Structures are given as C-alpha cells and as structure tokens.
C-alpha cells in the first residue's frame, strides 16, 4: 500500500494489567485507569501523543465525552500546562468523528464520517501531513489493528487487574511485530510505553 504523504497512524489508550480499557461495570467503569491519568509520567505521555499529530480521529462516545471536559481545560489558566497544551491542541486541530448516529458535528473544526475506520484512515493518509491520532477510541483502534493500519501505539499500563470489562487485543488479530521506542515508569507503578510497528 502506498502512502505518498508519509503520514503515520498512531493510537493512544490506557490498559489494566489484564489488558482491559474499562472494568466489569461497562464503558464508564474506569476505576482502574483514572487514578493514574494525572501522574507526572501520564502527563508527559499525554504531551508525547499529540506533538506530531495534526488530525484527531475519535469515536462518537469519546468525541462527546471530550467535548464536555477538554475545552474548559484549554481555558483554565490554573490547569497543568501539559493538560492545557493537549486541550488546546484538541480544540484547535482537525477532528474526524466516526459515527453512524450523529447528524451534526459536536465541535468546531470537526467533520462527521459514517464509514469503516480502515477506509477513513486510508483516505486521510492520501492528503495532508502529520500524524493521525486515534485518541482512546478502542473500537477504532481495534478496527485498525485488524487491518494492520497502525504505525505507533502509545500505551499506558496501570498496575491493576480489572477482572472483567472490554479487552483491546481480541483473538483473531493479524500477527505483527513492534519495537519499543520509549518506556517510563511512574511512582504508582504505571508504565508509559511507545511501540512502533515493524514493517
């Protein structure tokens, strides 16, 4: 597959030790994730994920959830500068939201797309420059892993076993090899890692 623009597709997500992005209580059960989101390592990791990105690719749930939180952080002069940097980037950058139900874009600089994630990403890679960041939208990350379209994974591993909930790495994914390009461990035992796809 040709990639004339050289754009990378990156994804960011936090997982428990047992590989889950939420707990047994469903999508809102983030008790094993949230306590680690504001550590020094997590905040430095947050800066790392968006620095080279020019497009944010989001699912509907994340787009709506982020809209209720990040714009206020962007305006908050007392917020941690790393949180604020990410928030400003998210507000100002191009956003593509995958949704089958939304009829109007929930943000400025946002366009809605109703289509398979793999097709959308393949199309995005043909124009523009900078990384395309899939930001914590597990359904999109899963689809791109299945299509082998991810070039970089930003993973945050929390030192908890959720014991239930949704897993990111489902059986049946195509085999792939990755190189660890960054690793940092925080005081609470959380680990930030960056893996690049070996092609």
């Amino acid at each position: 597959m040709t990639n004339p623009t050289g754009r990378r597709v990156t994804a960011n997500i936090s997982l428990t030790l047992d590989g889950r992005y939420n707990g047994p209580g469903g999508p809102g059960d983030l008790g094993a994730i949230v306590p680690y989101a504001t550590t020094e390592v997590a905040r430095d990791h947050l800066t790392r994920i968006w620095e080279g990105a020019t497009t944010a690719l989001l699912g509907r749930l994340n787009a709506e959830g982020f809209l209720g939180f990040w714009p206020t952080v962007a305006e908050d002069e007392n917020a941690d500068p790393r949180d604020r940097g990410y928030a400003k980037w998210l507000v100002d950058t191009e956003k593509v939201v995958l949704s089958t139900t939304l009829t109007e874009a929930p943000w400025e600089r946002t366009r809605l797309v109703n289509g398979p994630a793999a097709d959308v990403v393949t199309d995005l890679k043909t124009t523009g420059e900078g990384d395309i960041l899939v930001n914590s939208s597990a359904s999109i990350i899963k689809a791109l892993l299945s299509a082998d379209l991810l070039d970089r994974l930003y993973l945050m591993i929390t030192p908890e076993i959720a014991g239930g909930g949704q897993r990111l790495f489902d059986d049946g994914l195509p085999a792939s090899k990755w190189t660890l390009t960054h690793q940092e461990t925080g005081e609470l035992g959380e680990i930030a890692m960056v893996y690049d796809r070996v092609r």
Side-chain angles (χ1 to χ4, degrees):
M1 185 191 323
T2 59
N3 181 12
T5 61
R7 298 189 80 180
R8 285 186 311 185
V9 184
T10 68
N12 166 59
I13 198 160
S14 294
L15 300 173
T16 58
L17 278 180
D18 51 343
R20 302 176 195 276
Y21 55 89
N22 59 38
D29 183 356
L30 302 174
I33 305 274
V34 168
Y36 308 93
T38 56
T39 66
E40 290 300 303
V41 164
R43 284 188 156 129
D44 288 345
H45 192 62
L46 184 66
T47 300
R48 201 174 296 119
I49 70 171
W50 66 264
E51 280 181 323
T54 55
T55 302
L57 182 58
L58 299 160
R60 177 186 62 83
L61 285 175
N62 271 18
E64 292 178 334
F66 286 6
L67 179 63
F69 180 74
W70 288 110
T72 57
V73 176
E75 301 296 321
D76 182 0
E77 292 178 9
N78 298 315
D80 184 285
R82 293 163 294 185
D83 293 354
R84 202 165 176 212
Y86 167 76
K88 284 181 169 178
W89 170 81
L90 189 60
V91 169
D92 292 340
T93 201
E94 172 195 30
K95 289 168 285 293
V96 177
V97 176
L98 294 184
S99 175
T100 56
T101 55
L102 288 178
T103 53
E104 57 184 66
W107 293 55
E108 293 174 11
R109 288 175 286 287
T110 302
R111 67 191 164 97
L112 296 174
V113 181
N114 181 355
D119 294 351
V120 172
V121 162
T122 301
D123 186 47
L124 284 171
K125 286 175 77 162
T126 62
T127 58
E129 57 187 11
D131 292 349
I132 300 159
L133 171 65
V134 183
N135 206 340
S136 301
S137 294
S139 60
I140 300 174
I141 296 172
K142 287 182 180 193
L144 297 181
L145 284 168
S146 292
D148 195 17
L149 284 171
L150 277 184
D151 302 306
R152 171 171 278 188
L153 266 172
Y154 295 99
L155 291 179
M156 185 73 145
I157 306 299
T158 70
E160 296 196 25
I161 292 173
Q166 292 171 287
R167 291 182 191 274
L168 182 67
F169 301 108
D170 293 326
D171 286 348
L173 289 174
S176 57
K177 186 175 181 181
W178 300 74
T179 299
L180 181 66
T181 57
H182 184 89
Q183 179 181 346
E184 205 173 341
T185 305
E187 291 179 6
L188 301 177
E190 75 282 12
I191 305 175
M193 294 179 289
V194 181
Y195 281 100
D196 284 341
R197 176 75 171 94
V198 178
R199 298 203 185 274

